[in-house]
Amino acid sequence: MQAIGDFFTWLFNDRMGVICLIVGGIVLCLLIALLMERKTKKRYFNHEKSEGDWDLFGEDE
């Protein structure tokens, strides 16, 4: 139980711990966004592209 307390103390009170917390949050949000984009692209695969459409993955077919 002491190890968990030490981890949270490091995570929130140490400069490197806070940086790891912020970077981890950014990576998690990026991963969620990419997974949701792929799921949406799979669902709407027959969407006709218009002039203003753009593609996150750059697959111009």
Side-chain angles (χ1 to χ4, degrees):
M1 201 58 153
Q2 182 64 30
I4 295 172
D6 290 342
F7 173 73
F8 282 116
T9 300
W10 171 79
L11 189 63
F12 292 107
N13 291 334
D14 190 30
R15 181 177 297 223
M16 187 57 73
V18 172
I19 291 172
C20 289
L21 187 64
I22 292 171
V23 170
I26 291 171
V27 169
L28 180 66
C29 289
L30 180 64
L31 181 66
I32 291 169
L34 287 174
L35 290 174
M36 290 177 69
E37 174 68 25
R38 287 182 186 226
K39 185 177 179 181
T40 302
K41 188 173 182 174
K42 188 183 293 185
R43 179 177 289 171
Y44 299 110
F45 63 93
N46 60 352
H47 173 71
E48 294 292 328
K49 283 191 163 191
S50 65
E51 183 71 28
D53 285 348
W54 60 276
D55 190 4
L56 180 65
F57 299 107
E59 297 174 0
D60 293 330
E61 297 169 358

Short mmCIF file of all heavy atoms in Angstrom, two decimals:
data_model
loop_
_atom_site.label_atom_id
_atom_site.label_comp_id
_atom_site.label_asym_id
_atom_site.label_seq_id
_atom_site.Cartn_x
_atom_site.Cartn_y
_atom_site.Cartn_z
N MET A 1 0.82 -1.19 0.00
CA MET A 1 0.00 0.00 0.00
C MET A 1 0.86 1.26 0.00
O MET A 1 0.46 2.26 -0.57
CB MET A 1 -0.92 -0.05 1.22
CG MET A 1 -2.11 0.81 1.11
SD MET A 1 -3.07 0.34 -0.31
CE MET A 1 -4.64 0.85 0.17
N GLN A 2 2.02 1.17 0.60
CA GLN A 2 2.94 2.29 0.63
C GLN A 2 3.44 2.63 -0.77
O GLN A 2 3.65 3.79 -1.10
CB GLN A 2 4.13 1.98 1.56
CG GLN A 2 5.12 3.11 1.69
CD GLN A 2 4.51 4.34 2.35
OE1 GLN A 2 3.60 4.23 3.17
NE2 GLN A 2 5.01 5.50 1.99
N ALA A 3 3.61 1.59 -1.62
CA ALA A 3 4.09 1.82 -2.98
C ALA A 3 3.08 2.64 -3.78
O ALA A 3 3.47 3.51 -4.57
CB ALA A 3 4.37 0.49 -3.67
N ILE A 4 1.81 2.38 -3.58
CA ILE A 4 0.77 3.14 -4.29
C ILE A 4 0.79 4.59 -3.82
O ILE A 4 0.69 5.52 -4.63
CB ILE A 4 -0.61 2.50 -4.08
CG1 ILE A 4 -0.65 1.12 -4.72
CG2 ILE A 4 -1.71 3.37 -4.66
CD1 ILE A 4 -1.90 0.32 -4.42
N GLY A 5 0.91 4.80 -2.54
CA GLY A 5 1.00 6.15 -2.00
C GLY A 5 2.22 6.89 -2.52
O GLY A 5 2.14 8.09 -2.86
N ASP A 6 3.36 6.19 -2.59
CA ASP A 6 4.57 6.81 -3.13
C ASP A 6 4.41 7.17 -4.60
O ASP A 6 4.89 8.21 -5.06
CB ASP A 6 5.77 5.87 -2.96
CG ASP A 6 6.17 5.72 -1.51
OD1 ASP A 6 5.78 6.58 -0.69
OD2 ASP A 6 6.87 4.73 -1.19
N PHE A 7 3.73 6.29 -5.36
CA PHE A 7 3.50 6.57 -6.78
C PHE A 7 2.65 7.83 -6.96
O PHE A 7 2.98 8.69 -7.78
CB PHE A 7 2.82 5.37 -7.45
CG PHE A 7 2.41 5.65 -8.87
CD1 PHE A 7 3.37 5.74 -9.87
CD2 PHE A 7 1.08 5.83 -9.19
CE1 PHE A 7 3.00 6.00 -11.18
CE2 PHE A 7 0.70 6.09 -10.50
CZ PHE A 7 1.66 6.17 -11.49
N PHE A 8 1.56 7.95 -6.22
CA PHE A 8 0.71 9.12 -6.35
C PHE A 8 1.40 10.39 -5.86
O PHE A 8 1.20 11.47 -6.42
CB PHE A 8 -0.62 8.92 -5.63
CG PHE A 8 -1.59 8.07 -6.41
CD1 PHE A 8 -2.00 6.84 -5.93
CD2 PHE A 8 -2.09 8.50 -7.63
CE1 PHE A 8 -2.89 6.06 -6.65
CE2 PHE A 8 -2.97 7.74 -8.36
CZ PHE A 8 -3.37 6.50 -7.87
N THR A 9 2.23 10.26 -4.85
CA THR A 9 3.01 11.41 -4.39
C THR A 9 3.97 11.86 -5.48
O THR A 9 4.10 13.05 -5.76
CB THR A 9 3.79 11.04 -3.12
OG1 THR A 9 2.87 10.67 -2.10
CG2 THR A 9 4.62 12.21 -2.63
N TRP A 10 4.63 10.90 -6.13
CA TRP A 10 5.53 11.24 -7.24
C TRP A 10 4.75 11.85 -8.40
O TRP A 10 5.18 12.83 -9.00
CB TRP A 10 6.27 9.98 -7.71
CG TRP A 10 7.04 10.21 -8.98
CD1 TRP A 10 8.24 10.81 -9.09
CD2 TRP A 10 6.63 9.86 -10.30
NE1 TRP A 10 8.62 10.86 -10.42
CE2 TRP A 10 7.65 10.28 -11.18
CE3 TRP A 10 5.51 9.24 -10.83
CZ2 TRP A 10 7.57 10.09 -12.55
CZ3 TRP A 10 5.43 9.05 -12.20
CH2 TRP A 10 6.45 9.48 -13.04
N LEU A 11 3.59 11.26 -8.72
CA LEU A 11 2.82 11.69 -9.88
C LEU A 11 2.32 13.11 -9.76
O LEU A 11 2.34 13.87 -10.72
CB LEU A 11 1.64 10.73 -10.10
CG LEU A 11 0.85 10.87 -11.38
CD1 LEU A 11 1.73 10.58 -12.58
CD2 LEU A 11 -0.33 9.92 -11.37
N PHE A 12 1.89 13.52 -8.57
CA PHE A 12 1.27 14.83 -8.42
C PHE A 12 2.18 15.88 -7.77
O PHE A 12 1.90 17.07 -7.87
CB PHE A 12 -0.03 14.72 -7.61
CG PHE A 12 -1.10 13.97 -8.35
CD1 PHE A 12 -1.45 12.69 -7.96
CD2 PHE A 12 -1.74 14.54 -9.43
CE1 PHE A 12 -2.45 12.00 -8.65
CE2 PHE A 12 -2.73 13.86 -10.12
CZ PHE A 12 -3.08 12.58 -9.72
N ASN A 13 3.26 15.47 -7.14
CA ASN A 13 4.11 16.44 -6.43
C ASN A 13 5.47 16.66 -7.08
O ASN A 13 6.14 17.64 -6.75
CB ASN A 13 4.33 16.00 -4.98
CG ASN A 13 3.05 16.11 -4.18
OD1 ASN A 13 2.17 16.90 -4.50
ND2 ASN A 13 2.95 15.30 -3.14
N ASP A 14 5.88 15.78 -7.95
CA ASP A 14 7.18 15.91 -8.61
C ASP A 14 6.98 16.49 -10.01
O ASP A 14 5.98 16.21 -10.67
CB ASP A 14 7.85 14.53 -8.71
CG ASP A 14 9.29 14.62 -9.16
OD1 ASP A 14 9.94 15.64 -8.87
OD2 ASP A 14 9.75 13.66 -9.81
N ARG A 15 7.91 17.30 -10.45
CA ARG A 15 7.80 17.93 -11.77
C ARG A 15 7.74 16.89 -12.88
O ARG A 15 6.94 16.99 -13.80
CB ARG A 15 8.98 18.86 -11.99
CG ARG A 15 8.92 19.58 -13.33
CD ARG A 15 10.06 20.53 -13.47
NE ARG A 15 9.94 21.55 -12.43
CZ ARG A 15 10.13 22.84 -12.62
NH1 ARG A 15 10.49 23.26 -13.81
NH2 ARG A 15 9.99 23.70 -11.65
N MET A 16 8.59 15.87 -12.82
CA MET A 16 8.60 14.82 -13.84
C MET A 16 7.30 14.02 -13.82
O MET A 16 6.80 13.61 -14.87
CB MET A 16 9.80 13.89 -13.64
CG MET A 16 9.96 12.89 -14.76
SD MET A 16 10.13 13.59 -16.40
CE MET A 16 11.76 14.23 -16.33
N GLY A 17 6.74 13.81 -12.65
CA GLY A 17 5.47 13.10 -12.54
C GLY A 17 4.33 13.86 -13.19
O GLY A 17 3.49 13.29 -13.89
N VAL A 18 4.29 15.16 -13.00
CA VAL A 18 3.25 15.99 -13.61
C VAL A 18 3.41 16.01 -15.13
O VAL A 18 2.43 15.93 -15.87
CB VAL A 18 3.27 17.42 -13.03
CG1 VAL A 18 2.33 18.33 -13.78
CG2 VAL A 18 2.92 17.39 -11.55
N ILE A 19 4.66 16.08 -15.61
CA ILE A 19 4.91 16.04 -17.05
C ILE A 19 4.45 14.71 -17.62
O ILE A 19 3.80 14.66 -18.69
CB ILE A 19 6.39 16.31 -17.35
CG1 ILE A 19 6.73 17.75 -17.02
CG2 ILE A 19 6.73 15.98 -18.79
CD1 ILE A 19 8.21 18.08 -17.10
N CYS A 20 4.73 13.61 -16.93
CA CYS A 20 4.27 12.30 -17.39
C CYS A 20 2.74 12.22 -17.40
O CYS A 20 2.15 11.62 -18.30
CB CYS A 20 4.84 11.19 -16.50
SG CYS A 20 6.59 10.93 -16.72
N LEU A 21 2.11 12.82 -16.42
CA LEU A 21 0.65 12.84 -16.36
C LEU A 21 0.07 13.61 -17.55
O LEU A 21 -0.88 13.15 -18.20
CB LEU A 21 0.20 13.48 -15.05
CG LEU A 21 -1.28 13.45 -14.71
CD1 LEU A 21 -1.75 12.02 -14.53
CD2 LEU A 21 -1.54 14.25 -13.46
N ILE A 22 0.63 14.74 -17.89
CA ILE A 22 0.15 15.55 -19.01
C ILE A 22 0.40 14.84 -20.34
O ILE A 22 -0.50 14.75 -21.19
CB ILE A 22 0.81 16.94 -18.99
CG1 ILE A 22 0.30 17.73 -17.79
CG2 ILE A 22 0.53 17.70 -20.28
CD1 ILE A 22 1.04 19.02 -17.54
N VAL A 23 1.60 14.32 -20.53
CA VAL A 23 1.92 13.62 -21.78
C VAL A 23 1.06 12.36 -21.92
O VAL A 23 0.57 12.06 -23.02
CB VAL A 23 3.43 13.28 -21.83
CG1 VAL A 23 3.74 12.34 -22.99
CG2 VAL A 23 4.24 14.54 -21.94
N GLY A 24 0.84 11.65 -20.84
CA GLY A 24 -0.02 10.47 -20.89
C GLY A 24 -1.44 10.83 -21.27
O GLY A 24 -2.09 10.11 -22.04
N GLY A 25 -1.95 11.95 -20.76
CA GLY A 25 -3.29 12.39 -21.13
C GLY A 25 -3.39 12.76 -22.59
O GLY A 25 -4.39 12.44 -23.26
N ILE A 26 -2.37 13.41 -23.12
CA ILE A 26 -2.36 13.78 -24.54
C ILE A 26 -2.32 12.52 -25.42
O ILE A 26 -3.06 12.42 -26.40
CB ILE A 26 -1.17 14.71 -24.85
CG1 ILE A 26 -1.40 16.07 -24.19
CG2 ILE A 26 -0.96 14.87 -26.35
CD1 ILE A 26 -0.19 16.98 -24.25
N VAL A 27 -1.48 11.57 -25.06
CA VAL A 27 -1.39 10.33 -25.83
C VAL A 27 -2.71 9.55 -25.78
O VAL A 27 -3.16 9.03 -26.79
CB VAL A 27 -0.21 9.46 -25.33
CG1 VAL A 27 -0.25 8.07 -25.92
CG2 VAL A 27 1.11 10.14 -25.65
N LEU A 28 -3.33 9.51 -24.61
CA LEU A 28 -4.61 8.82 -24.49
C LEU A 28 -5.69 9.47 -25.35
O LEU A 28 -6.42 8.78 -26.06
CB LEU A 28 -5.06 8.80 -23.02
CG LEU A 28 -6.38 8.10 -22.74
CD1 LEU A 28 -6.27 6.61 -23.03
CD2 LEU A 28 -6.79 8.34 -21.30
N CYS A 29 -5.76 10.79 -25.33
CA CYS A 29 -6.75 11.50 -26.17
C CYS A 29 -6.48 11.29 -27.65
O CYS A 29 -7.41 11.13 -28.44
CB CYS A 29 -6.75 12.98 -25.83
SG CYS A 29 -7.47 13.34 -24.22
N LEU A 30 -5.22 11.28 -28.05
CA LEU A 30 -4.86 11.05 -29.45
C LEU A 30 -5.26 9.63 -29.88
O LEU A 30 -5.80 9.44 -30.97
CB LEU A 30 -3.37 11.26 -29.65
CG LEU A 30 -2.83 11.05 -31.06
CD1 LEU A 30 -3.43 12.08 -32.01
CD2 LEU A 30 -1.32 11.15 -31.07
N LEU A 31 -5.01 8.66 -29.03
CA LEU A 31 -5.38 7.28 -29.34
C LEU A 31 -6.89 7.13 -29.49
O LEU A 31 -7.38 6.50 -30.43
CB LEU A 31 -4.85 6.35 -28.25
CG LEU A 31 -5.12 4.87 -28.43
CD1 LEU A 31 -4.37 4.34 -29.64
CD2 LEU A 31 -4.72 4.11 -27.18
N ILE A 32 -7.64 7.72 -28.58
CA ILE A 32 -9.10 7.67 -28.67
C ILE A 32 -9.60 8.34 -29.94
O ILE A 32 -10.48 7.82 -30.63
CB ILE A 32 -9.74 8.30 -27.41
CG1 ILE A 32 -9.47 7.42 -26.19
CG2 ILE A 32 -11.23 8.50 -27.60
CD1 ILE A 32 -9.83 8.06 -24.88
N ALA A 33 -9.03 9.49 -30.29
CA ALA A 33 -9.45 10.21 -31.51
C ALA A 33 -9.17 9.39 -32.76
O ALA A 33 -10.00 9.32 -33.67
CB ALA A 33 -8.75 11.55 -31.59
N LEU A 34 -8.01 8.74 -32.82
CA LEU A 34 -7.68 7.93 -33.99
C LEU A 34 -8.60 6.72 -34.11
O LEU A 34 -9.05 6.38 -35.21
CB LEU A 34 -6.22 7.49 -33.93
CG LEU A 34 -5.19 8.57 -34.20
CD1 LEU A 34 -3.79 8.04 -33.97
CD2 LEU A 34 -5.33 9.10 -35.62
N LEU A 35 -8.89 6.08 -32.99
CA LEU A 35 -9.79 4.92 -33.04
C LEU A 35 -11.20 5.32 -33.45
O LEU A 35 -11.84 4.63 -34.25
CB LEU A 35 -9.82 4.22 -31.68
CG LEU A 35 -8.55 3.49 -31.28
CD1 LEU A 35 -8.66 2.97 -29.85
CD2 LEU A 35 -8.26 2.36 -32.24
N MET A 36 -11.68 6.44 -32.96
CA MET A 36 -13.01 6.91 -33.34
C MET A 36 -13.06 7.32 -34.81
O MET A 36 -14.06 7.09 -35.49
CB MET A 36 -13.44 8.06 -32.44
CG MET A 36 -13.72 7.61 -31.02
SD MET A 36 -14.13 8.97 -29.94
CE MET A 36 -15.72 9.43 -30.58
N GLU A 37 -11.99 7.93 -35.32
CA GLU A 37 -11.93 8.32 -36.72
C GLU A 37 -11.99 7.09 -37.63
O GLU A 37 -12.71 7.07 -38.62
CB GLU A 37 -10.66 9.11 -36.99
CG GLU A 37 -10.43 9.45 -38.44
CD GLU A 37 -11.42 10.43 -39.00
OE1 GLU A 37 -12.01 11.21 -38.23
OE2 GLU A 37 -11.62 10.43 -40.23
N ARG A 38 -11.25 6.06 -37.28
CA ARG A 38 -11.28 4.83 -38.08
C ARG A 38 -12.65 4.17 -38.04
O ARG A 38 -13.13 3.66 -39.05
CB ARG A 38 -10.22 3.86 -37.60
CG ARG A 38 -8.84 4.30 -37.98
CD ARG A 38 -7.81 3.31 -37.53
NE ARG A 38 -6.50 3.84 -37.80
CZ ARG A 38 -5.55 3.14 -38.37
NH1 ARG A 38 -5.76 1.90 -38.71
NH2 ARG A 38 -4.38 3.69 -38.59
N LYS A 39 -13.28 4.15 -36.88
CA LYS A 39 -14.61 3.55 -36.76
C LYS A 39 -15.63 4.34 -37.59
O LYS A 39 -16.46 3.75 -38.27
CB LYS A 39 -15.03 3.53 -35.29
CG LYS A 39 -16.33 2.83 -35.04
CD LYS A 39 -16.63 2.79 -33.56
CE LYS A 39 -17.96 2.10 -33.30
NZ LYS A 39 -18.28 2.08 -31.88
N THR A 40 -15.54 5.65 -37.57
CA THR A 40 -16.45 6.49 -38.36
C THR A 40 -16.20 6.28 -39.85
O THR A 40 -17.14 6.20 -40.64
CB THR A 40 -16.26 7.96 -37.99
OG1 THR A 40 -16.49 8.13 -36.60
CG2 THR A 40 -17.21 8.85 -38.77
N LYS A 41 -14.93 6.19 -40.23
CA LYS A 41 -14.61 5.97 -41.65
C LYS A 41 -15.13 4.63 -42.13
O LYS A 41 -15.60 4.50 -43.26
CB LYS A 41 -13.11 6.06 -41.84
CG LYS A 41 -12.69 6.04 -43.28
CD LYS A 41 -11.22 6.29 -43.41
CE LYS A 41 -10.87 6.32 -44.88
NZ LYS A 41 -9.50 6.69 -45.09
N LYS A 42 -15.06 3.61 -41.29
CA LYS A 42 -15.57 2.29 -41.65
C LYS A 42 -17.10 2.32 -41.78
O LYS A 42 -17.66 1.68 -42.66
CB LYS A 42 -15.16 1.26 -40.60
CG LYS A 42 -15.48 -0.16 -40.99
CD LYS A 42 -15.14 -1.15 -39.89
CE LYS A 42 -13.65 -1.19 -39.67
NZ LYS A 42 -13.28 -2.23 -38.69
N ARG A 43 -17.76 3.08 -40.92
CA ARG A 43 -19.22 3.15 -40.95
C ARG A 43 -19.74 3.89 -42.18
O ARG A 43 -20.72 3.50 -42.77
CB ARG A 43 -19.74 3.84 -39.69
CG ARG A 43 -21.26 3.95 -39.68
CD ARG A 43 -21.75 4.55 -38.41
NE ARG A 43 -21.57 3.58 -37.34
CZ ARG A 43 -21.76 3.87 -36.06
NH1 ARG A 43 -22.11 5.07 -35.69
NH2 ARG A 43 -21.57 2.95 -35.15
N TYR A 44 -19.07 4.97 -42.57
CA TYR A 44 -19.51 5.79 -43.69
C TYR A 44 -18.56 5.62 -44.89
O TYR A 44 -18.10 6.59 -45.47
CB TYR A 44 -19.60 7.25 -43.28
CG TYR A 44 -20.58 7.48 -42.16
CD1 TYR A 44 -20.13 7.82 -40.89
CD2 TYR A 44 -21.93 7.32 -42.36
CE1 TYR A 44 -21.03 8.02 -39.86
CE2 TYR A 44 -22.84 7.51 -41.34
CZ TYR A 44 -22.38 7.86 -40.09
OH TYR A 44 -23.27 8.05 -39.07
N PHE A 45 -18.30 4.39 -45.27
CA PHE A 45 -17.34 4.11 -46.33
C PHE A 45 -17.81 4.56 -47.70
O PHE A 45 -17.01 4.80 -48.59
CB PHE A 45 -17.01 2.61 -46.37
CG PHE A 45 -18.19 1.74 -46.70
CD1 PHE A 45 -18.45 1.37 -48.00
CD2 PHE A 45 -19.04 1.28 -45.70
CE1 PHE A 45 -19.53 0.56 -48.32
CE2 PHE A 45 -20.11 0.48 -45.99
CZ PHE A 45 -20.37 0.11 -47.31
N ASN A 46 -19.11 4.68 -47.92
CA ASN A 46 -19.62 5.02 -49.25
C ASN A 46 -19.94 6.51 -49.38
O ASN A 46 -20.64 6.91 -50.30
CB ASN A 46 -20.85 4.18 -49.57
CG ASN A 46 -21.97 4.39 -48.57
OD1 ASN A 46 -21.78 5.05 -47.57
ND2 ASN A 46 -23.13 3.83 -48.85
N HIS A 47 -19.41 7.33 -48.52
CA HIS A 47 -19.62 8.77 -48.58
C HIS A 47 -18.86 9.35 -49.76
O HIS A 47 -17.66 9.17 -49.89
CB HIS A 47 -19.15 9.43 -47.28
CG HIS A 47 -19.18 10.92 -47.30
ND1 HIS A 47 -20.35 11.62 -47.28
CD2 HIS A 47 -18.19 11.83 -47.34
CE1 HIS A 47 -20.08 12.92 -47.32
NE2 HIS A 47 -18.76 13.06 -47.35
N GLU A 48 -19.57 10.03 -50.64
CA GLU A 48 -18.94 10.66 -51.79
C GLU A 48 -18.18 11.92 -51.33
O GLU A 48 -18.74 12.74 -50.63
CB GLU A 48 -19.99 11.05 -52.84
CG GLU A 48 -20.69 9.86 -53.46
CD GLU A 48 -19.77 9.03 -54.34
OE1 GLU A 48 -18.85 9.61 -54.94
OE2 GLU A 48 -19.97 7.81 -54.38
N LYS A 49 -16.93 12.04 -51.76
CA LYS A 49 -16.13 13.20 -51.38
C LYS A 49 -16.53 14.40 -52.22
O LYS A 49 -16.70 14.29 -53.43
CB LYS A 49 -14.66 12.92 -51.56
CG LYS A 49 -14.08 12.07 -50.49
CD LYS A 49 -12.58 12.05 -50.61
CE LYS A 49 -12.01 11.55 -49.31
NZ LYS A 49 -10.58 11.74 -49.25
N SER A 50 -16.64 15.52 -51.56
CA SER A 50 -16.91 16.76 -52.27
C SER A 50 -15.63 17.60 -52.27
O SER A 50 -14.59 17.18 -51.78
CB SER A 50 -18.07 17.51 -51.61
OG SER A 50 -17.71 17.92 -50.32
N GLU A 51 -15.71 18.80 -52.78
CA GLU A 51 -14.54 19.68 -52.90
C GLU A 51 -13.96 20.04 -51.53
O GLU A 51 -12.75 20.11 -51.35
CB GLU A 51 -14.93 20.95 -53.65
CG GLU A 51 -13.79 21.91 -53.88
CD GLU A 51 -12.80 21.40 -54.91
OE1 GLU A 51 -13.21 20.62 -55.80
OE2 GLU A 51 -11.62 21.78 -54.82
N GLY A 52 -14.82 20.24 -50.52
CA GLY A 52 -14.36 20.69 -49.21
C GLY A 52 -13.99 19.57 -48.25
O GLY A 52 -13.55 19.83 -47.14
N ASP A 53 -14.15 18.31 -48.62
CA ASP A 53 -13.84 17.20 -47.73
C ASP A 53 -12.34 17.00 -47.61
O ASP A 53 -11.58 17.20 -48.55
CB ASP A 53 -14.48 15.91 -48.24
CG ASP A 53 -15.97 15.86 -48.01
OD1 ASP A 53 -16.47 16.71 -47.25
OD2 ASP A 53 -16.62 14.97 -48.57
N TRP A 54 -11.91 16.61 -46.43
CA TRP A 54 -10.52 16.28 -46.21
C TRP A 54 -10.45 14.96 -45.47
O TRP A 54 -11.41 14.51 -44.87
CB TRP A 54 -9.79 17.38 -45.44
CG TRP A 54 -10.35 17.66 -44.08
CD1 TRP A 54 -11.40 18.47 -43.80
CD2 TRP A 54 -9.91 17.11 -42.86
NE1 TRP A 54 -11.64 18.47 -42.46
CE2 TRP A 54 -10.74 17.64 -41.85
CE3 TRP A 54 -8.91 16.23 -42.50
CZ2 TRP A 54 -10.59 17.30 -40.51
CZ3 TRP A 54 -8.76 15.91 -41.16
CH2 TRP A 54 -9.58 16.45 -40.19
N ASP A 55 -9.30 14.32 -45.53
CA ASP A 55 -9.13 12.99 -44.97
C ASP A 55 -7.96 13.01 -43.99
O ASP A 55 -6.87 13.46 -44.33
CB ASP A 55 -8.86 11.99 -46.10
CG ASP A 55 -8.92 10.56 -45.63
OD1 ASP A 55 -9.24 10.32 -44.45
OD2 ASP A 55 -8.66 9.67 -46.45
N LEU A 56 -8.19 12.53 -42.78
CA LEU A 56 -7.16 12.51 -41.75
C LEU A 56 -5.99 11.62 -42.14
O LEU A 56 -4.84 11.92 -41.86
CB LEU A 56 -7.76 12.06 -40.42
CG LEU A 56 -6.82 12.00 -39.23
CD1 LEU A 56 -6.32 13.39 -38.88
CD2 LEU A 56 -7.53 11.40 -38.04
N PHE A 57 -6.26 10.52 -42.82
CA PHE A 57 -5.23 9.55 -43.15
C PHE A 57 -4.65 9.75 -44.55
O PHE A 57 -3.77 9.01 -44.96
CB PHE A 57 -5.78 8.14 -43.00
CG PHE A 57 -6.21 7.85 -41.60
CD1 PHE A 57 -7.55 7.78 -41.28
CD2 PHE A 57 -5.29 7.70 -40.58
CE1 PHE A 57 -7.96 7.54 -39.99
CE2 PHE A 57 -5.68 7.46 -39.29
CZ PHE A 57 -7.01 7.39 -38.99
N GLY A 58 -5.16 10.70 -45.32
CA GLY A 58 -4.59 11.03 -46.61
C GLY A 58 -4.84 10.01 -47.70
O GLY A 58 -4.07 9.88 -48.62
N GLU A 59 -5.90 9.26 -47.60
CA GLU A 59 -6.20 8.24 -48.59
C GLU A 59 -7.14 8.83 -49.64
O GLU A 59 -8.35 8.72 -49.55
CB GLU A 59 -6.83 7.02 -47.94
CG GLU A 59 -5.91 6.33 -46.96
CD GLU A 59 -6.61 5.21 -46.22
OE1 GLU A 59 -7.79 4.98 -46.47
OE2 GLU A 59 -5.97 4.59 -45.39
N ASP A 60 -6.58 9.45 -50.64
CA ASP A 60 -7.39 10.00 -51.72
C ASP A 60 -7.54 8.94 -52.80
O ASP A 60 -6.59 8.55 -53.45
CB ASP A 60 -6.72 11.24 -52.32
CG ASP A 60 -6.70 12.38 -51.32
OD1 ASP A 60 -7.63 12.44 -50.49
OD2 ASP A 60 -5.77 13.20 -51.38
N GLU A 61 -8.75 8.47 -52.95
CA GLU A 61 -9.00 7.39 -53.92
C GLU A 61 -9.82 7.90 -55.07
O GLU A 61 -10.61 8.75 -55.00
CB GLU A 61 -9.74 6.25 -53.23
CG GLU A 61 -8.90 5.66 -52.14
CD GLU A 61 -9.71 4.71 -51.26
OE1 GLU A 61 -10.92 4.56 -51.48
OE2 GLU A 61 -9.13 4.15 -50.35
#
